[in-house]
Amino acid sequence: MLRLLSLALFFGIWSIGSSLAGAQMLPSPGAVLTSIFTEAQSGTLFVALGATLVRVVLSFSLAMVAGTALGLLMGRVKWADAVGDPWLVVVLNLPALVIIVLAYVWGGLTEAAAIAAVAINKLPNTIVTVREGARSLDPTLDEMARVFAMPRGVVFRDVILPQLNPYLAAAARSGLSLVWKIVLVAELLGRPNGVGFEIGTAFQLFDVARILAYALVFVAVMLLIETALVQPLERRASRWRVRVA
Amino acid sequence: MLEVRIRRKAYVSASGARLEVLSDIAFTLADGDVAAFVGPSGCGKTTMLRILAGLDHGFEGTINGAAPGRIGMVFQEPRLLPWRTAEANVRLAAPGASENKLTELFSILELAPHRSHYPGELSLGLARRVALARAFAVDPALLILDEPFVSLDQALAARLRAELATLVDRRRVTTILVTHDVEDAVWLADRVFLLAGHPARISAELTVPGRRGERTAAEIAATRQKIAALAAPCAATAP
């Protein structure tokens, strides 16, 4: 209830701001809604959304899988941590824009370069989080698995992964929002389609309503993914925890 | 047959000092023997078990007959996977166990109503039983128990002892039980080894008369006295 009120307040302030600043600088919610409809009717909205979503999913998955593997390695093996840590600090502090520009320079204005650039941006963050998780793995469960000679696959799936779960969830949460923001920059700089490209065009035409339209729709899509996919998965993973009734 | 010769086991402490924990622990067990190692805490008992279980290879000596994969172990804490049900915990350790066998185990240990419970929903006593079920489910050639009944109340410990006796006899499994509680030894063991000294060595050995499970109160009392007479403090000289 309070959430809805807060949301209503947001739209109220927006309307007032729009009438104060003028429709050119800040279009009213209604104007943005109209813009969403026209974009949807012409189909460009869905094409752009689809292209961006595919990039988000691919680069996010790439960063999560590679980051989990590297994070586990660095958290479990001392020398791997010593070797990898300086690299990690470098990539962690490299601005997203630099990585994207370099990827386009070296890889050309290609889909692969764009996805790789976004994945590399997200990678260090996943590594750091998963490494923290790998360091806190329970050695007593490890011993138990060794005594009972559990196969590697079982150890990974039933002993290690559940312990990493909160860390993976944290990495996924922060990762999803980070990735889609960076994907938009990559699209703006070197892709012929996607939400980032559309916003770039709208910027050149000073069409603020269209910029807001794309931003809002994409935020809505990401919210949907969060509530329909991430949260249920999290609940499933933590169903063994004793609930306080 | 299990043949254990641990000549020496030492730790290097954080300050760099060498600390000898075990020295000249040698014994041989026939198949189906139940041996209890009794000694006060801090005596190196758990260290010995970790060596037998293959978790610690940094010692001088040899272990014969403890094949990996055929070891069932009950740790001091239950060490169950909290994110798997009681039944899944047992099955993961013993993928080859048949449905019948699991059902039998769960019913002997009175766990049948708790098969689908998560460890967090179980009391310590129940979690200990799941750990016992897991150790038996692998059909072990060697069963290793580290203070399996510590911090349980007397009545429950006695009941679990009886359940353990049933299982050990049914399967004729070579069992090594480490405990500081003489009761565990007098009720369950065929042979009792007393650990003492620093580094720890076997200070005395005795055979417990009477069949497990059919021991009379008088026999139990006699064994108890014998152990008390032989027992010597072990951590007295600890730094």
Side-chain angles (χ1 to χ4, degrees), chain B residues 34 36-39 147-150 152-162 164-165 177-190 192 194 208 212-213 215-217 219-225 227-228:
Chain B
V34 177
F37 285 78
V38 183
E147 305 262 14
F149 311 126
V150 74
L152 294 180
D153 63 71
Q154 287 296 319
L156 183 57
R159 271 192 44 215
L160 280 182
R161 246 176 240 135
L164 183 63
L177 166 82
V178 140
T179 180
H180 70 274
D181 186 352
V182 177
E183 292 306 299
D184 291 343
V186 296
W187 288 99
L188 286 170
D190 304 306
V192 177
L194 296 171
V208 183
R212 187 180 12 264
R215 288 171 189 160
T216 63
E219 279 173 328
I220 295 280
T223 316
R224 211 181 275 146
Q225 262 181 353
I227 293 175

Side-chain angles (χ1 to χ4, degrees), chain A residues 140 143 146 158 162-163 240, chain B residues 50 55 79 82-84 118:
Chain A
T140 67
E143 285 183 355
R146 265 164 65 201
D158 297 282
Q163 294 184 69
W240 55 274
Chain B
R50 288 172 49 84
L55 290 172
R79 292 202 194 180
W83 39 83
R84 293 289 180 264
Y118 288 97

Side-chain angles (χ1 to χ4, degrees), chain A residues 214-231:
Chain A
Y214 274 100
L216 271 187
V217 171
F218 209 81
V219 167
V221 170
M222 296 312 280
L223 265 179
L224 199 71
I225 291 178
E226 163 85 22
T227 46
L229 217 69
V230 178
Q231 280 178 11

Side-chain angles (χ1 to χ4, degrees), chain B residues 14-88:
Chain B
S15 58
R18 216 179 124 86
L19 189 68
E20 221 164 289
V21 196
L22 301 173
S23 139
D24 291 320
I25 306 269
F27 59 93
T28 304
L29 296 180
D31 288 343
D33 269 359
V34 177
F37 285 78
V38 183
S41 318
C43 204
K45 300 189 302 275
T46 297
T47 305
M48 183 187 79
L49 287 193
R50 288 172 49 84
I51 291 175
L52 293 181
L55 290 172
D56 189 339
H57 297 287
F59 68 100
E60 292 171 35
T62 52
I63 312 286
N64 285 320
R70 294 295 317 278
I71 296 176
M73 184 153 181
V74 178
F75 298 88
Q76 244 176 71
E77 336 77 58
R79 292 202 194 180
L80 303 172
L81 301 171
W83 39 83
R84 293 289 180 264
T85 62
E87 179 172 347

